[in-house]
Amino acid sequence: GAVVSQHPSRVICKSGTSVKIECRSLDFQATTMFWYRQFPKQSLMLMATSNEGSKATYEQGVEKDKFLINHASLTLSTLTVTSAHPEDSSFYICSASGPTGYNEQFFGPGTRLTVL
Amino acid sequence: AQSVAQPEDQVNVAEGNPLTVKCTYSVSGNPYLFWYVQYPNRGLQFLLKYITGDNLVKGSYGFEAEFNKSQTSFHLKKPSALVSDSALYFCAVTREMGRRALTFGSGTRLQVQP
């Protein structure tokens, strides 16, 4: 149980375009979802926390207009990278909590974004 | 604020030998501690967690970790390493109360030599 999926697993786009990444909790309702970013050989850095039906809370230094997060249902959160640039290339990982409270998160497999 | 330190970028161990990956933490209140493993271009896989109770926590794939409150440590251990254990390991912490995401350590690469 407690499976989280991400789609797509890998995406390549041109600079200036927008890319949407989906995060789904497949077998539980996720009251809270988290979006992390991981640069090569580095740790995960929290970008934002989203709660179903409300606006996301962004970490300091994360541009909310560039990284649009929508948590429209208890099983789906989306991250849209708008006007992508090469420096946005990274590994994006989502996680979801819900079945056992905020102290346990279940991670998606990640999405590799490459901006040319 | 909460933080995690993994002092070793890489740990090398021979197959069959015991392994330890170190982690210390700082958090206000009671900590919830986690270990995750990551294989190349993959998401994080949960290994084990400490919430409350016994200080020695047993997890997946033969791993265990010991919570030491006085030393604020949560070292990951395995009695006999396998080559397939070679991966990137992350320690993470959150606190008991409040809606907070996990704070991750910098990660430790474990290399098990045959």
Side-chain angles (χ1 to χ4, degrees), chain B residues 17-40:
Chain B
N17 283 1
L19 69 88
T20 298
V21 182
K22 296 180 181 178
C23 170
T24 58
Y25 68 90
S26 174
V27 68
S28 57
N30 293 321
Y32 287 172
L33 294 155
F34 302 82
W35 275 102
Y36 291 89
V37 60
Q38 185 180 35
Y39 294 95

Side-chain angles (χ1 to χ4, degrees), chain A residues 10 31-32 34 36 38 41-46 49 51 91 93 100 102-110 112, chain B residues 32 34 36 38 41-44 46 49 51 88 90 94-96 98-107 109:
Chain A
R10 188 181 295 267
T31 53
T32 303
F34 304 91
Y36 295 86
Q38 185 181 28
K41 299 183 179 180
Q42 294 190 26
S43 187
L44 281 74
M45 300 300 294
L46 179 68
T49 302
N51 297 296
F91 195 52
I93 303 176
T100 60
Y102 307 122
N103 59 26
E104 186 159 6
Q105 296 178 30
F106 302 91
F107 286 82
R112 171 74 60 192
Chain B
Y32 287 172
F34 302 82
Y36 291 89
Q38 185 180 35
N41 294 311
R42 302 287 296 277
L44 272 65
F46 171 79
K49 66 180 178 185
I51 302 298
L88 187 58
F90 289 100
T94 189
R95 67 179 187 214
E96 183 176 9
R99 296 172 175 249
R100 291 190 67 87
L102 295 176
T103 297
F104 286 86
S106 54
R109 184 163 300 282

